[in-house]
Amino acid sequence: MSMDLFFWIIAFLINLALMASTFYQIVILTDLEADYINIYDSATSINRIVLPEFIVQGVFCASFLLTWHWFMFLITVPVTCYHVMLFLKRQHLFDVTEAFRFLNAEKKFRLIKLCFYLVIFAIITGRLALSVFEFLSDADDATHLF
């Protein structure tokens, strides 16, 4: 298997995990807004996955840099920098005491982040399809040589 194809498969799976995490947080916030879930349970559920999500986003961005995919790196850098800024200001966790004051802002932030991950998903899916096509066409040409 080609290294480029392997990289795009891993990027595809990482992006799926990031989208699932963000979607889960949106669902928890919507349940909190509709009063289906306790405020402490929702904060615990969200705070448990925030730090791993930030770490995965950082690794995702760094992997694009290390594999010389400059366009994808430049697209993912702003979100990574925003996550670093939130972490350094200690604003990355969902606060129980001010949950309802910032509920709409938190939902909008996560919806924008989900849209961003969907755009990245479309780009990665296209690149993955191109890599599969190149891999299959190279493999097909190699069989014709013998």
Side-chain angles (χ1 to χ4, degrees), residues 2-112:
S2 164
M3 278 306 276
D4 196 44
L5 177 62
F6 179 72
F7 172 76
W8 288 112
I9 290 172
I10 297 299
F12 180 82
L13 295 175
I14 289 173
N15 195 25
L16 275 178
L18 289 171
M19 283 191 326
S21 169
T22 306
F23 183 72
Y24 176 72
Q25 292 175 28
I26 292 170
V27 168
I28 292 294
L29 290 173
T30 305
D31 286 349
L32 178 64
E33 186 178 38
D35 204 26
Y36 292 138
I37 191 169
N38 186 353
I39 191 168
Y40 298 106
D41 294 337
S42 64
T44 303
S45 298
I46 290 174
N47 290 341
R48 185 173 4 132
I49 61 174
V50 166
L51 193 58
E53 178 189 358
F54 283 12
I55 292 169
V56 168
Q57 173 65 33
V59 168
F60 191 52
C61 183
S63 68
F64 286 128
L65 177 64
L66 295 175
T67 57
W68 298 70
H69 292 97
W70 296 106
F71 179 70
M72 294 301 292
F73 170 71
L74 292 175
I75 289 176
T76 56
V77 148
V79 173
T80 305
C81 289
Y82 185 71
H83 286 170
V84 169
M85 182 193 68
L86 284 178
F87 183 76
L88 292 177
K89 288 183 176 181
R90 298 190 184 273
Q91 296 175 347
H92 61 287
L93 296 177
F94 189 67
D95 189 15
V96 176
T97 59
E98 298 185 7
F100 289 108
R101 181 187 301 176
F102 298 116
L103 187 62
N104 287 330
E106 291 286 334
K107 280 177 51 179
K108 285 180 187 175
F109 165 67
R110 283 169 174 83
L111 280 172
I112 290 170

Side-chain angles (χ1 to χ4, degrees), residues 2 4-6 8-9 12 69 72 121-139:
S2 164
D4 196 44
L5 177 62
F6 179 72
W8 288 112
I9 290 172
F12 180 82
H69 292 97
M72 294 301 292
F121 179 75
I123 294 170
I124 288 176
T125 303
R127 291 292 305 175
L128 181 60
L130 284 173
S131 294
V132 167
F133 178 73
E134 288 174 6
F135 176 73
L136 292 177
S137 65
D138 289 344

